[in-house]
Amino acid sequence: QLQLVESGGGLVQPGGSLRVSCAGPGSSLDYYNIGWFRQAPGKEREGVSCISSSSAGGSTNYTDSVKGRFTISRDNAKNTVYLQMNSLKPEDTAAYYCAADYRPFRPCVLSKEVFGSWGQGTQVTVSS
């Protein structure tokens, strides 16, 4: 079972920045499509961004509401996937989860049903 560990959440003012991390101790995340999802209280879990495995070309996807503000990236040397979040808005407040999808050679998609391994989540709160 792939273990995923998120970190980096916190409280930030509107317009600020935050970077959350997803580490995969004991496994090579490069083999997996990695997605970031978020869930606010009373709302469905939604896909935020994903990055494809190297075998699938490393492509990235973003949901419309974060395009131009969020950037997903990998550091294979650190076996970590990052989500850099800039120009944060109060509506970005949620628990952020990373997830892994092992489907070699297939680009990532922002559909939570295809992701089989999930982290425990990290809280991001955007408030003044």
Side-chain angles (χ1 to χ4, degrees):
Q1 182 74 16
L2 176 64
Q3 182 184 10
L4 298 171
V5 181
E6 301 98 332
S7 61
L11 173 65
V12 63
Q13 292 187 342
S17 297
L18 204 61
R19 187 179 75 169
V20 291
S21 303
C22 175
S27 302
S28 177
L29 294 186
D30 191 41
Y31 293 122
Y32 297 85
N33 296 336
I34 300 296
W36 281 100
F37 293 78
R38 66 186 179 187
Q39 188 167 19
K43 293 189 176 182
E44 293 283 326
R45 188 170 296 190
E46 65 167 344
V48 176
S49 181
C50 65
I51 185 166
S52 300
S53 64
S54 293
S55 69
S59 58
T60 58
N61 282 330
Y62 299 91
T63 193
D64 286 346
S65 63
V66 307
K67 285 180 180 177
R69 300 189 298 122
F70 290 11
T71 303
I72 192 170
S73 63
R74 289 181 183 269
D75 184 335
N76 290 331
K78 295 183 178 180
N79 201 34
T80 300
V81 173
Y82 301 102
L83 184 68
Q84 176 68 43
M85 303 181 289
N86 299 329
S87 302
L88 281 161
K89 305 175 181 180
E91 51 264 43
D92 294 318
T93 296
Y96 282 71
Y97 300 87
C98 69
D101 158 35
Y102 183 65
R103 294 183 301 151
F105 306 104
R106 299 183 68 174
C108 71
V109 293
L110 284 175
S111 175
K112 57 183 181 292
E113 288 75 20
V114 305
F115 288 84
S117 297
W118 292 81
Q120 82 289 350
T122 186
Q123 179 66 35
V124 172
T125 302
V126 185
S127 175
S128 56

